[in-house]
mmCIF file of all heavy atoms in Angstrom:
data_model
loop_
_atom_site.group_PDB
_atom_site.id
_atom_site.type_symbol
_atom_site.label_atom_id
_atom_site.label_comp_id
_atom_site.label_asym_id
_atom_site.label_seq_id
_atom_site.Cartn_x
_atom_site.Cartn_y
_atom_site.Cartn_z
ATOM 1 N N LYS A 259 43.731 75.202 -57.251
ATOM 2 C CA LYS A 259 44.186 75.144 -55.856
ATOM 3 C C LYS A 259 43.154 74.418 -54.990
ATOM 4 O O LYS A 259 42.841 74.848 -53.873
ATOM 5 C CB LYS A 259 44.434 76.556 -55.317
ATOM 6 C CG LYS A 259 45.496 77.329 -56.090
ATOM 7 C CD LYS A 259 45.680 78.726 -55.533
ATOM 8 C CE LYS A 259 46.724 79.501 -56.317
ATOM 9 N NZ LYS A 259 46.897 80.889 -55.797
ATOM 10 N N LEU A 260 42.619 73.315 -55.507
ATOM 11 C CA LEU A 260 41.522 72.633 -54.826
ATOM 12 C C LEU A 260 41.930 72.088 -53.458
ATOM 13 O O LEU A 260 41.150 72.170 -52.497
ATOM 14 C CB LEU A 260 40.991 71.499 -55.711
ATOM 15 C CG LEU A 260 40.404 71.908 -57.075
ATOM 16 C CD1 LEU A 260 39.780 70.704 -57.757
ATOM 17 C CD2 LEU A 260 39.380 73.027 -56.908
ATOM 18 N N LEU A 261 43.129 71.542 -53.352
ATOM 19 C CA LEU A 261 43.573 70.994 -52.070
ATOM 20 C C LEU A 261 43.694 72.081 -51.017
ATOM 21 O O LEU A 261 43.257 71.898 -49.865
ATOM 22 C CB LEU A 261 44.916 70.269 -52.235
ATOM 23 C CG LEU A 261 45.508 69.677 -50.947
ATOM 24 C CD1 LEU A 261 44.544 68.677 -50.324
ATOM 25 C CD2 LEU A 261 46.868 69.041 -51.219
ATOM 26 N N LYS A 262 44.280 73.229 -51.389
ATOM 27 C CA LYS A 262 44.425 74.339 -50.441
ATOM 28 C C LYS A 262 43.067 74.861 -49.991
ATOM 29 O O LYS A 262 42.868 75.165 -48.810
ATOM 30 C CB LYS A 262 45.249 75.466 -51.074
ATOM 31 C CG LYS A 262 46.724 75.140 -51.231
ATOM 32 C CD LYS A 262 47.508 76.340 -51.714
ATOM 33 C CE LYS A 262 48.996 76.021 -51.776
ATOM 34 N NZ LYS A 262 49.793 77.203 -52.219
ATOM 35 N N ILE A 263 42.121 74.968 -50.923
ATOM 36 C CA ILE A 263 40.777 75.438 -50.574
ATOM 37 C C ILE A 263 40.076 74.432 -49.664
ATOM 38 O O ILE A 263 39.425 74.805 -48.678
ATOM 39 C CB ILE A 263 39.939 75.685 -51.850
ATOM 40 C CG1 ILE A 263 40.575 76.778 -52.703
ATOM 41 C CG2 ILE A 263 38.497 76.047 -51.491
ATOM 42 C CD1 ILE A 263 40.765 78.095 -51.996
ATOM 43 N N PHE A 264 40.239 73.146 -49.982
ATOM 44 C CA PHE A 264 39.640 72.108 -49.140
ATOM 45 C C PHE A 264 40.170 72.202 -47.712
ATOM 46 O O PHE A 264 39.401 72.119 -46.735
ATOM 47 C CB PHE A 264 39.921 70.717 -49.716
ATOM 48 C CG PHE A 264 39.515 69.601 -48.801
ATOM 49 C CD1 PHE A 264 38.179 69.275 -48.637
ATOM 50 C CD2 PHE A 264 40.485 68.888 -48.096
ATOM 51 C CE1 PHE A 264 37.802 68.248 -47.775
ATOM 52 C CE2 PHE A 264 40.112 67.868 -47.233
ATOM 53 C CZ PHE A 264 38.767 67.547 -47.071
ATOM 54 N N LEU A 265 41.479 72.366 -47.559
ATOM 55 C CA LEU A 265 42.079 72.475 -46.231
ATOM 56 C C LEU A 265 41.554 73.695 -45.482
ATOM 57 O O LEU A 265 41.346 73.642 -44.263
ATOM 58 C CB LEU A 265 43.608 72.536 -46.345
ATOM 59 C CG LEU A 265 44.315 71.237 -46.737
ATOM 60 C CD1 LEU A 265 45.809 71.488 -46.932
ATOM 61 C CD2 LEU A 265 44.090 70.156 -45.694
ATOM 62 N N MET A 266 41.327 74.794 -46.198
ATOM 63 C CA MET A 266 40.852 76.016 -45.559
ATOM 64 C C MET A 266 39.416 75.865 -45.051
ATOM 65 O O MET A 266 39.054 76.420 -44.005
ATOM 66 C CB MET A 266 40.970 77.195 -46.516
ATOM 67 C CG MET A 266 42.401 77.560 -46.862
ATOM 68 S SD MET A 266 42.562 79.023 -47.905
ATOM 69 C CE MET A 266 42.337 80.325 -46.701
ATOM 70 N N PHE A 267 38.596 75.126 -45.780
ATOM 71 C CA PHE A 267 37.213 74.932 -45.344
ATOM 72 C C PHE A 267 37.050 73.755 -44.380
ATOM 73 O O PHE A 267 35.999 73.624 -43.739
ATOM 74 C CB PHE A 267 36.294 74.742 -46.559
ATOM 75 C CG PHE A 267 35.834 76.019 -47.174
ATOM 76 C CD1 PHE A 267 36.545 76.591 -48.225
ATOM 77 C CD2 PHE A 267 34.707 76.687 -46.708
ATOM 78 C CE1 PHE A 267 36.130 77.791 -48.792
ATOM 79 C CE2 PHE A 267 34.292 77.871 -47.264
ATOM 80 C CZ PHE A 267 34.999 78.432 -48.317
ATOM 81 N N LEU A 268 38.070 72.917 -44.292
ATOM 82 C CA LEU A 268 37.972 71.731 -43.452
ATOM 83 C C LEU A 268 37.639 72.052 -41.988
ATOM 84 O O LEU A 268 36.771 71.380 -41.399
ATOM 85 C CB LEU A 268 39.264 70.916 -43.545
ATOM 86 C CG LEU A 268 39.272 69.582 -42.798
ATOM 87 C CD1 LEU A 268 38.173 68.667 -43.339
ATOM 88 C CD2 LEU A 268 40.638 68.914 -42.922
ATOM 89 N N PRO A 269 38.299 73.045 -41.345
ATOM 90 C CA PRO A 269 37.922 73.365 -39.961
ATOM 91 C C PRO A 269 36.450 73.767 -39.819
ATOM 92 O O PRO A 269 35.800 73.413 -38.829
ATOM 93 C CB PRO A 269 38.846 74.541 -39.610
ATOM 94 C CG PRO A 269 40.017 74.388 -40.515
ATOM 95 C CD PRO A 269 39.456 73.862 -41.797
ATOM 96 N N MET A 270 35.911 74.504 -40.812
ATOM 97 C CA MET A 270 34.501 74.897 -40.779
ATOM 98 C C MET A 270 33.581 73.683 -40.884
ATOM 99 O O MET A 270 32.567 73.583 -40.187
ATOM 100 C CB MET A 270 34.194 75.851 -41.946
ATOM 101 C CG MET A 270 35.079 77.063 -42.023
ATOM 102 S SD MET A 270 34.704 78.218 -40.700
ATOM 103 C CE MET A 270 35.786 79.562 -41.166
ATOM 104 N N ILE A 271 33.949 72.764 -41.776
ATOM 105 C CA ILE A 271 33.119 71.580 -41.996
ATOM 106 C C ILE A 271 33.113 70.695 -40.750
ATOM 107 O O ILE A 271 32.058 70.245 -40.292
ATOM 108 C CB ILE A 271 33.622 70.798 -43.231
ATOM 109 C CG1 ILE A 271 33.422 71.650 -44.486
ATOM 110 C CG2 ILE A 271 32.902 69.463 -43.366
ATOM 111 C CD1 ILE A 271 34.097 71.090 -45.722
ATOM 112 N N VAL A 272 34.299 70.462 -40.188
ATOM 113 C CA VAL A 272 34.396 69.643 -38.976
ATOM 114 C C VAL A 272 33.677 70.326 -37.814
ATOM 115 O O VAL A 272 32.923 69.685 -37.065
ATOM 116 C CB VAL A 272 35.873 69.382 -38.617
ATOM 117 C CG1 VAL A 272 35.984 68.673 -37.271
ATOM 118 C CG2 VAL A 272 36.546 68.563 -39.709
ATOM 119 N N GLY A 273 33.895 71.639 -37.674
ATOM 120 C CA GLY A 273 33.230 72.385 -36.602
ATOM 121 C C GLY A 273 31.722 72.357 -36.724
ATOM 122 O O GLY A 273 30.996 72.228 -35.726
ATOM 123 N N SER A 274 31.211 72.479 -37.944
ATOM 124 C CA SER A 274 29.766 72.434 -38.170
ATOM 125 C C SER A 274 29.188 71.078 -37.798
ATOM 126 O O SER A 274 28.083 70.988 -37.257
ATOM 127 C CB SER A 274 29.441 72.748 -39.638
ATOM 128 O OG SER A 274 29.800 74.069 -39.964
ATOM 129 N N TYR A 275 29.935 70.024 -38.082
ATOM 130 C CA TYR A 275 29.459 68.683 -37.768
ATOM 131 C C TYR A 275 29.329 68.477 -36.258
ATOM 132 O O TYR A 275 28.335 67.927 -35.773
ATOM 133 C CB TYR A 275 30.414 67.643 -38.351
ATOM 134 C CG TYR A 275 29.994 66.214 -38.071
ATOM 135 C CD1 TYR A 275 28.923 65.642 -38.743
ATOM 136 C CD2 TYR A 275 30.665 65.448 -37.113
ATOM 137 C CE1 TYR A 275 28.524 64.335 -38.485
ATOM 138 C CE2 TYR A 275 30.277 64.145 -36.844
ATOM 139 C CZ TYR A 275 29.206 63.596 -37.529
ATOM 140 O OH TYR A 275 28.816 62.307 -37.258
ATOM 141 N N PHE A 276 30.327 68.963 -35.495
ATOM 142 C CA PHE A 276 30.334 68.724 -34.056
ATOM 143 C C PHE A 276 29.535 69.762 -33.259
ATOM 144 O O PHE A 276 28.956 69.436 -32.221
ATOM 145 C CB PHE A 276 31.778 68.683 -33.530
ATOM 146 C CG PHE A 276 32.492 67.410 -33.852
ATOM 147 C CD1 PHE A 276 33.450 67.373 -34.850
ATOM 148 C CD2 PHE A 276 32.194 66.237 -33.174
ATOM 149 C CE1 PHE A 276 34.113 66.195 -35.160
ATOM 150 C CE2 PHE A 276 32.845 65.055 -33.478
ATOM 151 C CZ PHE A 276 33.812 65.027 -34.470
ATOM 152 N N PHE A 277 29.509 71.026 -33.740
ATOM 153 C CA PHE A 277 28.882 72.089 -32.961
ATOM 154 C C PHE A 277 27.598 72.624 -33.585
ATOM 155 O O PHE A 277 26.962 73.527 -33.045
ATOM 156 C CB PHE A 277 29.863 73.260 -32.783
ATOM 157 C CG PHE A 277 31.102 72.885 -32.035
ATOM 158 C CD1 PHE A 277 32.302 72.702 -32.697
ATOM 159 C CD2 PHE A 277 31.076 72.697 -30.663
ATOM 160 C CE1 PHE A 277 33.453 72.342 -32.019
ATOM 161 C CE2 PHE A 277 32.215 72.343 -29.970
ATOM 162 C CZ PHE A 277 33.414 72.162 -30.653
ATOM 163 N N GLY A 278 27.213 72.103 -34.763
ATOM 164 C CA GLY A 278 26.053 72.644 -35.456
ATOM 165 C C GLY A 278 26.474 73.801 -36.352
ATOM 166 O O GLY A 278 27.483 74.463 -36.103
#
Side-chain angles (χ1 to χ4, degrees):
K259 300 179 181 179
L260 298 187
L261 179 59
K262 289 186 176 181
I263 298 303
F264 171 75
L265 288 175
M266 294 184 79
F267 276 93
L268 185 60
M270 306 289 185
I271 295 170
V272 173
S274 295
Y275 180 74
F276 284 105
F277 298 104

